[in-house]
Amino acid sequence: DTAVSQTPKYLVTQMGNDKSIKCEQNLGHDTMYWYKQDSKKFLKIMFSYNNKELIINETVPNRFSPKSPDKAHLNLHINSLELGDSAVYFCASSQTSGGVAQYFGPGTRLLVL
Amino acid sequence: SQQGEEDPQALSIQEGENATMNCSYKTSINNLQWYRQNSGRGLVHLILIRSNEREKHSGRLRVTLDTSKKSSSLLITASRAADTASYFCATAQTGANNLFFGTGTRLTVIP
């Protein structure tokens, strides 16, 4: 059983398109996150939800919109994709918020052409 | 910057040798964690050390924390080729809801 899963694993798209990435966790955790990892492996927090409520909203273009339909799912929608959005996006979950151990999904590799 | 910094950026050793990676950070923390990332995969949590702990062990891993120097080290003993990965430290800073990840150390273990 995969603990944190993401779809799709790879996403290749044209500039200007809109795309979504989905994340699901079956660990019963309350908190979920989206991270962006750039080509230099730097991992930057984008958003975090705790029990479907947004608790972290870092400085991210408003073309990025997270949505949590329930505490097991956290999706990321990106409008008007730009070349600089190319990166690996990781979903993660943790039992609670507040700096406890996090469990990561396998990542979605986004390439914007 | 709130992120930690790992040192060295890259490390190459022979199988069987020990590998030591260091992490420095700047603010007050509740705990510090180490994660491993194999190429093309997600991060995997390895070990968590609380701010009131000085040393922790897990299998071949040994982590130390010096809050006065704001630094931590990860020692992997008797390394194996399968330990080849990037290793990240992450700090749980006081009052923050998330972790702040370092820049990572790329470890290569040569069989």
Side-chain angles (χ1 to χ4, degrees):
Chain A
D1 276 348
T2 304
V4 182
S5 59
Q6 295 178 229
T7 54
K9 191 170 182 180
Y10 300 96
L11 191 50
V12 181
T13 188
Q14 299 287 331
M15 266 176 51
N17 284 350
D18 303 339
K19 291 292 179 186
S20 291
I21 309 172
K22 295 186 176 183
C23 178
E24 176 181 1
Q25 55 95 2
N26 62 6
L27 297 167
H29 287 169
D30 285 344
T31 310
M32 296 184 74
Y33 312 81
W34 278 112
Y35 287 90
K36 178 181 180 180
Q37 187 175 46
D38 62 23
S39 57
K40 295 184 178 178
K41 301 292 188 184
F42 175 50
L43 202 65
K44 180 184 174 182
I45 181 76
M46 299 174 71
F47 304 103
S48 177
Y49 274 73
N50 187 58
N51 269 321
K52 301 195 297 175
E53 185 178 332
L54 183 66
I55 59 170
I56 296 173
N57 186 2
E58 290 293 305
T59 307
V60 174
N62 57 15
R63 298 181 295 103
F64 291 79
S65 53
K67 188 167 283 188
S68 182
D70 55 61
K71 74 174 194 177
H73 296 85
L74 180 60
N75 303 323
L76 183 65
H77 187 76
I78 316 170
N79 288 326
S80 304
L81 278 155
E82 299 178 357
L83 294 177
D85 296 333
S86 294
V88 183
Y89 292 85
F90 286 101
C91 175
S93 73
S94 62
Q95 196 160 16
T96 62
S97 60
V100 298
Q102 295 183 11
Y103 296 78
F104 282 76
T108 295
R109 284 140 192 84
L110 172 65
L111 178 60
V112 183
L113 302 173
Chain B
S1 170
Q2 292 174 306
Q3 71 187 73
E5 290 190 13
E6 279 96 336
D7 170 59
Q9 287 189 330
L11 179 61
S12 185
I13 60 174
Q14 296 288 331
E15 202 166 30
E17 293 180 340
N18 296 341
T20 300
M21 289 157 264
N22 302 297
C23 170
S24 60
Y25 59 92
K26 295 179 180 176
T27 64
S28 176
I29 63 170
N30 292 326
N31 68 65
L32 185 144
Q33 302 172 33
W34 285 90
Y35 289 77
R36 183 187 74 234
Q37 184 180 30
N38 290 89
S39 183
R41 310 289 288 272
L43 280 75
V44 174
H45 180 260
L46 295 176
I47 195 165
L48 180 153
I49 185 165
R50 301 184 200 289
S51 60
N52 61 354
E53 297 176 311
R54 292 297 165 256
E55 188 170 312
K56 204 159 181 181
H57 297 253
S58 177
R60 293 184 296 114
L61 305 181
R62 174 180 165 245
V63 170
T64 61
L65 178 64
D66 187 336
T67 52
S68 66
K69 293 182 179 177
K70 291 186 167 57
S71 68
S72 173
S73 67
L74 171 67
L75 169 67
I76 304 174
T77 59
S79 64
R80 304 167 182 168
D83 294 329
T84 294
S86 292
Y87 291 82
F88 294 86
C89 68
T91 52
Q93 297 177 5
T94 305
N97 277 320
N98 58 299
L99 298 177
F100 294 91
F101 283 83
T103 50
T105 292
R106 173 73 189 163
L107 172 66
T108 302
V109 181
I110 303 165

